[in-house]
Amino acid sequence: MTDDQRSLHAASQRFARERLEPLLAKPPTPAAWEETVELAATLDLGTMILPARRGGLAVERHELSLVIEALAAGPLERAAELTLSAPALMTLRAHDALDLLPPRPVGDYFDGAIPLALTVPSTEAAVQWRLRQADTPGLTMQIDDLDRQRLILAHVAPSPVTCRCGRAITLGDLVLEQSNLEQIAAAPPLATIEQLDRNGTSPAQTWLTEVGLYLAALLTGAMQHSVTFALDYATSRLAFKKPLANHQLVATRLADMLIATHGAHLFLRHVTTTEPPAPTALVRQLIGHVAAESVDVNRELVQLCGGHGYVEGLPPAARFQSSHWFAWLLRQIDAALGRFPMSASSGTRAGACA
């Protein structure tokens, strides 16, 4: 990494260690969370994403993924709450469509004032899943027709969620809800994005890719922090008068967790640094790999700690409550990207090789 990338990563790590990691042990009070959101604003994630002509830094996917990974030190839903608007801004930037957003300071999209919700097509016909901030008016980016490959920007009407069922799941202050296309069409769009990006990629494909890489970075970061906990736990916890890590079976389990986590991190870095943008097949391989490995690492950590009941009193338990939903969303994105068998850039390279 460059010096700038290391500095950006270090600042994100410090913030996550000081403000987000303690939330694994105890949820914050409203006042404490408000203070955390204000401190998160000093990272200026929105300005990082904005292009240089708007006074931003125009960070690439690689730099953004490093920040997202670092912020996954605490509960995943808290990291997502602070960064939920990132994929939408990255998509709008790629398609030169940032002017379609309401004229507000970019920080408003990250401090809870007007968050940009995530909407992902479901494997069920005519259904989409939306991850939004509860009881907060905001905006949503969504695909209104996979065949037409266009996006619409629309208002999200705040509505309290009272049930934990297959159609509405509460993740802290976030809600994962199911909606059908009729409900989506009922909200008049503020704008429609149809223009291809400079690589000939449609807005719908860019959106699914950005959301997929974002969720992959969240889960990869969670894996890294889980492995760090596992190594510390296995070193300090004794069994038969010696540390757990000194037992061969435990050492093997730790090695497997470490290899899986480091492999997922390197895979993510490879995909986010590929120029021109990585082909759809490679993105699908990444998100499928991260979804599977994150679940495996969680299972290994539970077994290391002695089983589910023993984990309940340990910090990683707060992460287990929501991480599988993010992995499940990755599976939905993988299926949706299957409608885009080849990106423009991969097609160009294939033609050149032929």
Side-chain angles (χ1 to χ4, degrees):
M1 292 189 290
T2 66
D3 290 340
D4 288 342
Q5 289 171 342
R6 289 192 184 94
S7 298
L8 179 63
H9 191 221
S12 304
Q13 285 181 315
R14 284 194 301 271
F15 171 80
R17 184 171 56 250
E18 295 170 3
R19 303 298 307 193
L20 299 180
E21 192 171 349
L23 304 184
L24 291 171
K26 183 180 179 181
T29 64
W33 180 245
E34 184 177 349
E35 181 182 357
T36 298
V37 172
E38 291 175 356
L39 289 173
T42 62
L43 295 174
D44 219 358
L45 188 57
T47 302
M48 290 181 201
I49 295 173
L50 289 180
R53 61 184 175 80
R54 286 177 170 259
L57 300 178
V59 296
E60 298 299 333
R61 288 171 171 171
H62 179 236
E63 288 86 346
L64 181 61
S65 68
L66 292 175
V67 173
I68 302 301
E69 279 184 330
L71 295 182
L76 284 187
E77 63 272 18
R78 294 295 179 177
E81 190 175 343
L82 294 173
T83 58
L84 194 62
S85 300
L89 288 184
M90 290 290 285
T91 300
L92 291 171
R93 189 185 80 182
H95 291 269
D96 197 23
L98 285 166
D99 290 335
L100 299 178
L101 289 172
R104 301 180 63 140
V106 70
D108 288 356
Y109 297 104
F110 292 90
D111 64 4
I114 182 170
L116 286 155
L118 302 183
T119 306
V120 176
S122 172
T123 51
E124 302 176 39
V127 171
Q128 297 205 33
W129 285 93
R130 181 166 62 193
L131 182 66
R132 65 172 175 87
Q133 202 159 344
D135 305 325
T136 302
L139 300 172
T140 182
M141 289 272 290
Q142 55 199 25
I143 302 171
D144 78 322
D145 189 336
L146 267 176
D147 293 326
R148 299 175 71 177
Q149 301 185 26
R150 69 180 188 181
L151 291 175
I152 60 173
L153 183 67
H155 274 297
V156 175
S159 58
V161 175
T162 57
C163 68
R164 288 181 60 86
C165 56
R167 294 183 177 272
I169 299 97
T170 301
L171 305 173
D173 289 337
L174 297 178
V175 173
L176 178 61
E177 63 185 3
Q178 193 180 63
S179 58
N180 56 47
L181 294 182
E182 288 77 10
Q183 292 172 312
I184 292 171
L190 296 178
T192 301
I193 302 109
E194 299 181 272
Q195 178 181 337
L196 303 181
D197 71 3
R198 58 187 175 86
N199 295 302
T201 305
S202 71
Q205 184 173 350
T206 301
W207 171 242
L208 290 172
T209 300
E210 294 295 349
V211 176
L213 295 177
Y214 167 76
L215 295 175
L218 271 177
L219 286 173
T220 302
M223 290 166 63
Q224 292 172 334
H225 297 296
S226 292
V227 168
T228 298
F229 173 85
L231 293 171
D232 292 340
Y233 181 84
T235 302
S236 59
R237 185 69 179 263
L238 298 180
F240 302 105
K241 299 183 179 181
K242 63 180 181 180
L244 282 175
N246 289 359
H247 296 271
Q248 184 175 359
L249 290 178
V250 174
T252 300
R253 175 164 282 161
L254 289 170
D256 289 342
M257 292 172 65
L258 187 59
I259 291 169
T261 299
H262 196 53
H265 170 70
L266 291 178
F267 196 176
L268 176 63
R269 291 189 64 181
H270 169 66
V271 173
T272 55
T273 54
T274 299
E275 289 293 341
T280 302
L282 186 59
V283 174
R284 292 188 65 193
Q285 288 174 18
L286 169 70
I287 62 180
H289 178 79
V290 170
E293 293 291 353
S294 66
V295 173
D296 286 345
V297 167
N298 277 345
R299 183 178 61 249
E300 292 290 340
L301 182 55
V302 169
Q303 294 301 315
L304 174 70
C305 296
H308 184 271
Y310 292 95
V311 180
E312 285 300 314
L314 299 174
R319 196 179 291 124
F320 295 157
Q321 295 171 6
S322 58
S323 61
H324 62 288
W325 286 113
F326 292 95
W328 180 81
L329 276 176
L330 276 182
R331 293 296 193 187
Q332 304 295 307
I333 295 170
D334 182 21
L337 279 173
R339 302 282 293 273
F340 306 94
M342 184 178 291
S343 66
S345 57
S346 62
T348 301
R349 285 201 299 272
C353 291

